[in-house]
Amino acid sequence: MENTRFSEVEQAAAVPDYARYDRIWQRVAPGMNPYPQARAANQAAEQTVQMMAPPVNGTSQQSSAARNQLLMLPGAESNPCCMGSEAQELSLVVEGFAQEEKVDSITYMQLARYAPNRSAAMVLRELGKYAEQRSKELGAAYYLITGEQKKFDSAGVVLPRLPYRELLRQRYHDTACNAFNYARAQDATPDPCLQRLLGTFSKESYRDADQVLKLLAQLQ
């Protein structure tokens, strides 16, 4: 429940057992010490629990030093480790991607009406659904980063008066460029969760571009 509050002793006791993870790693590569900070954090957690546990006579041994030590433990900081301040610099980029995917979703749906056969129309509608889903997930990511909920507009999206083949050609280039830009944005952020999301969308956009390429190949 959101209103549940844990005591400082309970919070310290809830710190993950980093020493256990370290022992597992040592069995895999005994010559390496990959988690020196985790070991120190685990020792600090154990010491904090001991310092803050109430004695037999019921008097409190909590001290400001113990509380400060607790705040230094991993995960105790108020800033989230994912979709937090490290992702703030790309919040406008995320917003732009979400808007662009929303427009792309409508573009694919409109393009499906020009398809020469049912199977091609089905592929284009599926690509539109993929773009719509990416827009929603990017909107959710934007909310996680900023706390602001956005609605992305697709009104006024009209396909240019071009032959179907030329429209597919534009779709291929736009989708492949989206994939490239997702990859560039992934490299630009230190936020691990935003990196994963952008990397996933880069792969999906390249996959979608391949689908458009196959549709073009059917017209040869």
Side-chain angles (χ1 to χ4, degrees):
M1 295 173 57
E2 293 183 358
N3 294 328
T4 302
R5 295 185 178 274
F6 295 96
S7 69
E8 291 172 327
V9 175
E10 289 171 325
Q11 289 178 2
V15 173
D17 187 359
Y18 290 99
R20 179 171 65 85
Y21 304 150
D22 189 65
R23 288 194 296 271
I24 294 173
W25 182 269
Q26 289 298 310
R27 289 201 296 270
V28 177
M32 296 182 64
N33 178 19
Y35 306 125
Q37 294 179 346
R39 280 181 177 170
N42 186 72
Q43 293 174 358
E46 293 177 353
Q47 293 173 3
T48 302
V49 172
Q50 294 174 1
M51 293 173 62
M52 300 178 67
V56 177
N57 59 11
T59 59
S60 175
Q61 293 181 347
Q62 296 180 2
S63 65
S64 60
R67 285 192 292 271
N68 290 337
Q69 189 177 28
L70 178 64
L71 291 175
M72 294 174 64
L73 297 177
E77 66 274 11
S78 59
N79 180 48
C81 61
C82 269
M83 301 295 185
S85 61
E86 289 189 327
Q88 283 283 350
E89 292 184 1
L90 286 189
S91 61
L92 292 179
V93 174
V94 171
E95 180 184 0
F97 278 140
Q99 178 62 52
E100 189 168 1
E101 292 285 6
K102 182 66 175 179
V103 171
D104 286 350
S105 68
I106 301 301
T107 300
Y108 276 119
M109 293 299 183
Q110 291 186 5
L111 187 55
R113 300 173 188 169
Y114 294 88
N117 53 65
R118 182 176 297 179
S119 62
M122 185 178 301
V123 170
L124 291 168
R125 283 194 292 268
E126 282 297 308
L127 294 178
K129 292 177 182 177
Y130 295 150
E132 175 70 18
Q133 182 60 31
R134 284 193 293 270
S135 178
K136 290 180 179 179
E137 292 186 31
L138 286 162
Y142 182 84
Y143 174 73
L144 288 171
I145 296 168
T146 66
E148 180 183 356
Q149 191 168 3
K150 287 264 187 177
K151 289 194 68 176
F152 302 101
D153 188 18
S154 60
V157 177
V158 179
L159 289 179
R161 294 180 177 273
L162 294 171
Y164 173 72
R165 187 195 303 268
E166 183 61 26
L167 291 173
L168 283 183
R169 181 172 179 265
Q170 288 188 358
R171 275 290 82 214
Y172 174 85
H173 288 304
D174 289 345
T175 306
C177 285
N178 277 350
F180 178 66
N181 287 331
Y182 276 129
R184 291 175 61 190
Q186 179 188 16
D187 292 338
T189 179
D191 186 279
C193 293
L194 186 56
Q195 282 180 355
R196 290 180 59 210
L197 185 68
L198 295 174
T200 297
F201 289 170
S202 177
K203 293 177 182 177
E204 288 184 3
S205 296
Y206 276 124
R207 176 205 63 196
D208 292 354
D210 289 341
Q211 288 291 94
V212 176
L213 179 64
K214 291 178 181 179
L215 291 177
L216 277 168
Q218 294 174 5
L219 301 177
Q220 300 301 316

